[in-house]
Amino acid sequence: MVAARRKLRLLRSEAIKLGLWLGILFYRPVAALRPLREMSRSWVDEGLFIRKDENESGQLGEWNISGTYKGTWRFLDSTNSSSRFPDFKRSSGNSMVELVSTHTKIAGVHYIQGVIVFQDVFDKERTVGGARIRIEGVYIWPFRQLRMVANSGKEGEFSQDDDYILSNPYHLLGVFSSQVFQESPRKKIWRRKNSPIYDVEKHCNIEFAAQISHISSKKDDGEHDHYQMEGLMESPSVDDDGDCFAPLLLNATSVNIEVYYNKAVNYTLMVTFVSFLQVLLLIRQMEHSNTQSGAAKVSILMIGQQAIMDAYLCLLHLTAGILVESLFNAFATAAFFKFVVFSIFEMRYLLAIWKASRPMNNGEGWETMRRELSVLYSRFYGILLGGILLMYEFHNYIRPILLLIYSFWVPQIITNVLRDSRKPLHPHYILGMTVTRLAIPLYIFGCPYNFMRIEPDKSWCICLGVFLGLQASILLLQHYLGSRWFIPRQILPEKYSYYRRFDKDSSHTTDCVICMTSIDLSQRSNDCMVTPCDHFFHSGCLQRWMDIKMECPTCRRPLPPA
């Protein structure tokens, strides 16, 4: 036992050293996490930093309008009078514009390609919410004039704006989060098939004229500039059918990718710090239950469920890093820490609990133990893979599934009631794990400025916090008041009393084999406990013994819960 404590202390000291080293590493400028700054044709070169044209000097030559723009759209009239584009059921909504600027041989003229996405197009009866229009044209930067037309393009053609979108972290992480938390793949395919963009490309001759103005950047935006786009989208008359597209006003402001990038990096730092805290909490809990009896009181389902949660988070962050190559280092660091938490500490604790729960089989051969270990690992990774397939199939019900996953304290509550366990979990572990497990879902679904562009859902966040807090409260009350404090005594099974009556002789004394001192049986008090096998011990001695082993110190028979 002393050797085990020394190993746990050494493990904790190594974890603290690792945390300090990583803190020093992450204290350096975040530029170390940006591997694509030097790469050409990346979102950093095209959208994040303003490039100066060697052939164009002065302030106007620095105007590069490539980037992401967020804004609103609205029809000039209260009703849409479009005859060939009748699918716009609303008169206003949100919009997003992606633009890529390329220098031309003509002085003062840039070639522009892009995409305009109209959100909130349909009424509430339809699940499709947006339409996309490809555009191309020129930007005359001395006059800040943007002139563009709709570009139908061939299906499957890979254009420059596609290249920009595929390397833009603002767009990619937004699409990734919508696929994971908001929109299913089937719904996305249905949206593509039913989007009115194809009708526009085939029948409409759409023109877009906009004025670009410069907006002074805020202090927290760094040195990068913002641009305001105000324009009118309309179509000339086609034969006798009138306007194909009703006049529409578009107002959008550029999004600073540098701020978005810093948000993503700060999120990964938060995940790394939370993972480090969880490692310390696990070491503290392992010290609390470092005996065979203490480990047997911990629910193996509870630890296994938390290990599966960390495995999912590891895969999720690794996938996000692969999608957005420029953020790979940051997300890979967060994924690595989650991998350490579940593959080293939680799996080690899982094996310790499994071994403590089968003390009678420790003397069996290696083949039997290897077979049982294979069954344990097969169940764990089978549940892990099955959960991934389940979440993929029932993608629209991700929030109820998350509530089910975050019920990881429930198996421990049930185990405490069934076994009548005494203090299986340390209070710091209960409180710390409850708080750290809430950090990621509350950021994703509760922060209004999260980098994943997910609309906050306060009611769901409150429901999750109350649900997890209720589980933690029950565990803490079980720790201080007893594991069955909330169950009426009338329905509880009969429990063995270590202070039961016994035939006593006033002149008889016996010795406690634990402390090797005599026990006076002439006076009945709570200082004496008797086991089912009629062996007498001091109360304090036997309680400390049962925290280590649930066996009689004299005859080695199993002892019932105290």
Side-chain angles (χ1 to χ4, degrees):
M1 185 174 64
V2 176
R5 289 182 178 177
R6 288 180 181 176
K7 289 182 180 179
L8 288 174
R9 289 176 184 174
L10 181 62
L11 192 61
R12 179 164 38 173
S13 63
E14 292 297 329
I16 293 175
K17 291 179 182 179
L18 179 63
L20 292 175
W21 179 79
L22 287 169
I24 296 174
L25 177 66
F26 282 113
Y27 185 74
R28 299 177 181 178
V30 248
L33 298 174
R34 304 175 186 175
L36 292 188
R37 280 196 171 187
E38 293 77 18
M39 293 182 61
S40 60
R41 290 209 46 77
S42 68
W43 61 271
V44 182
D45 292 325
E46 295 177 350
L48 180 56
F49 296 101
I50 308 300
R51 296 180 298 180
K52 295 185 178 181
D53 194 345
E54 296 178 357
N55 299 326
E56 298 166 351
S57 59
Q59 274 189 337
L60 297 179
E62 300 180 4
W63 280 45
N64 187 333
I65 61 173
S66 296
T68 303
Y69 294 78
K70 290 181 64 178
T72 59
W73 63 270
R74 66 179 180 87
F75 286 108
L76 292 179
D77 300 331
S78 58
T79 58
N80 180 17
S81 58
S82 174
S83 60
R84 295 196 179 184
F85 198 66
D87 291 321
F88 273 73
K89 302 300 182 182
R90 299 184 181 181
S91 59
S92 62
N94 297 321
S95 63
M96 184 174 296
V97 184
E98 302 275 0
L99 296 180
V100 180
S101 176
T102 306
H103 296 292
T104 63
K105 296 181 179 180
I106 304 175
V109 178
H110 294 177
Y111 175 66
I112 306 295
Q113 283 183 296
V115 174
I116 300 179
V117 179
F118 297 97
Q119 301 173 353
D120 308 319
V121 170
F122 303 106
D123 51 17
K124 296 182 180 180
E125 296 179 357
R126 298 185 63 178
T127 56
V128 177
R132 187 180 70 171
I133 299 178
R134 295 177 180 268
I135 52 176
E136 64 177 349
V138 296
Y139 171 56
I140 308 173
W141 57 262
F143 303 101
R144 284 94 171 200
Q145 295 290 327
L146 181 63
R147 297 289 185 269
M148 309 189 78
V149 296
N151 175 25
S152 60
K154 295 181 181 179
E155 188 175 355
E157 191 178 69
F158 189 79
S159 60
Q160 186 178 1
D161 62 278
D162 291 325
D163 188 17
Y164 174 78
I165 292 175
L166 289 176
S167 59
N168 188 342
Y170 183 85
H171 178 79
L172 270 178
L173 286 177
V175 172
F176 175 68
S177 63
S178 66
Q179 290 179 354
V180 175
F181 297 106
Q182 293 175 344
E183 187 180 47
S184 64
R186 294 179 180 177
K187 186 181 294 185
K188 186 176 180 181
I189 295 173
W190 189 86
R191 169 181 289 196
R192 288 182 177 179
K193 292 182 178 179
N194 294 272
S195 175
I197 180 175
Y198 301 106
D199 293 336
V200 175
E201 293 172 352
K202 291 179 180 179
H203 303 294
C204 290
N205 183 19
I206 300 176
E207 297 178 357
F208 177 63
Q211 182 76 20
I212 306 296
S213 58
H214 179 269
I215 302 177
S216 59
S217 60
K218 301 178 182 179
K219 293 182 179 180
D220 57 350
D221 289 342
E223 300 177 355
H224 308 298
D225 297 328
H226 281 269
Y227 300 102
Q228 179 76 22
M229 177 192 303
E230 297 181 4
L232 178 66
M233 179 176 289
E234 56 185 351
S235 64
S237 299
V238 181
D239 299 331
D240 297 331
D241 295 337
D243 291 342
C244 177
F245 195 87
L248 179 146
L249 288 176
L250 188 66
N251 191 327
T253 306
S254 62
V255 177
N256 196 330
I257 303 296
E258 175 71 9
V259 175
Y260 181 80
Y261 189 100
N262 290 334
K263 285 183 179 180
V265 173
N266 291 336
Y267 165 78
T268 58
L269 292 178
M270 183 266 291
V271 174
T272 303
F273 178 70
V274 166
S275 302
F276 178 70
L277 289 180
Q278 290 175 354
V279 169
L280 296 181
L281 291 170
L282 279 167
I283 295 175
R284 182 66 176 272
Q285 173 60 25
M286 292 168 71
E287 289 180 350
H288 178 72
S289 59
N290 59 351
T291 62
Q292 180 181 352
S293 175
K297 297 176 184 177
V298 181
S299 172
I300 193 171
L301 294 178
M302 182 264 296
I303 299 297
Q305 192 168 342
Q306 293 190 52
I308 290 176
M309 289 172 56
D310 289 322
Y312 287 154
L313 290 174
C314 174
L315 294 175
L316 199 64
H317 288 92
L318 189 60
T319 304
I322 293 173
L323 283 176
V324 185
E325 190 177 356
S326 55
L327 291 171
F328 176 78
N329 285 356
F331 279 98
T333 303
F336 170 75
F337 266 82
K338 282 298 176 185
F339 177 79
V340 168
V341 172
F342 96 87
S343 66
I344 298 179
F345 292 94
E346 288 175 335
M347 291 302 294
R348 178 181 177 182
Y349 196 29
L350 197 71
L351 291 176
I353 297 171
W354 171 80
K355 185 178 180 181
S357 62
R358 49 187 298 277
M360 302 302 295
N361 299 330
N362 287 336
E364 296 182 357
W366 167 245
E367 292 295 331
T368 303
M369 182 173 291
R370 187 177 65 176
R371 184 169 57 253
E372 293 185 3
L373 274 175
S374 301
V375 173
L376 179 67
Y377 277 103
S378 300
R379 289 177 180 176
F380 177 81
Y381 289 106
I383 294 174
L384 181 66
L385 180 60
I388 294 176
L389 298 177
L390 184 68
M391 286 188 288
Y392 178 82
E393 186 67 25
F394 299 96
H395 195 76
N396 296 330
Y397 305 97
I398 189 67
R399 285 174 173 81
I401 293 177
L402 286 178
L403 284 177
L404 180 63
I405 293 176
Y406 271 80
S407 61
F408 53 85
W409 291 130
V410 174
Q412 185 62 55
I413 295 174
I414 298 175
T415 301
N416 291 347
V417 174
L418 295 178
R419 300 179 183 177
D420 198 11
S421 304
R422 295 177 62 253
K423 302 179 180 180
L425 302 180
H426 197 281
H428 293 174
Y429 175 77
I430 298 173
L431 293 174
M433 277 296 177
T434 301
V435 174
T436 54
R437 294 291 180 190
L438 283 172
I440 295 178
L442 290 185
Y443 171 83
I444 295 177
F445 296 103
C447 179
Y449 304 105
N450 64 83
F451 74 97
M452 301 185 76
R453 289 158 45 191
I454 296 177
E455 292 295 329
D457 191 350
K458 293 182 179 179
S459 59
W460 187 85
C461 292
I462 294 174
C463 180
L464 178 64
V466 171
F467 179 59
L468 200 56
L470 180 62
Q471 299 177 53
S473 301
I474 295 175
L475 277 177
L476 290 175
L477 290 175
Q478 284 183 329
H479 181 84
Y480 293 106
L481 302 180
S483 58
R484 298 177 177 178
W485 63 270
F486 56 92
I487 299 179
R489 293 184 179 180
Q490 294 77 7
I491 64 175
L492 286 176
E494 186 177 353
K495 184 179 178 180
Y496 176 78
S497 176
Y498 282 88
Y499 301 99
R500 63 181 175 85
R501 294 181 181 181
F502 56 91
D503 297 332
K504 57 183 178 179
D505 187 358
S506 60
S507 61
H508 179 71
T509 60
T510 184
D511 293 336
C512 174
V513 298
I514 299 176
C515 63
M516 302 305 293
T517 59
S518 62
I519 303 174
D520 188 6
L521 301 180
S522 60
Q523 296 180 356
R524 177 63 177 160
S525 66
N526 291 333
D527 294 335
C528 176
M529 297 176 67
V530 57
T531 62
C533 47
D534 293 331
H535 294 116
F536 298 89
F537 306 93
H538 291 114
S539 298
C541 296
L542 187 59
Q543 287 177 359
R544 287 192 297 270
W545 176 269
M546 287 192 296
D547 289 336
I548 301 174
K549 286 185 177 182
M550 293 299 294
E551 296 177 353
C552 177
T554 304
C555 63
R556 303 300 180 183
R557 291 184 180 179
L559 296 177

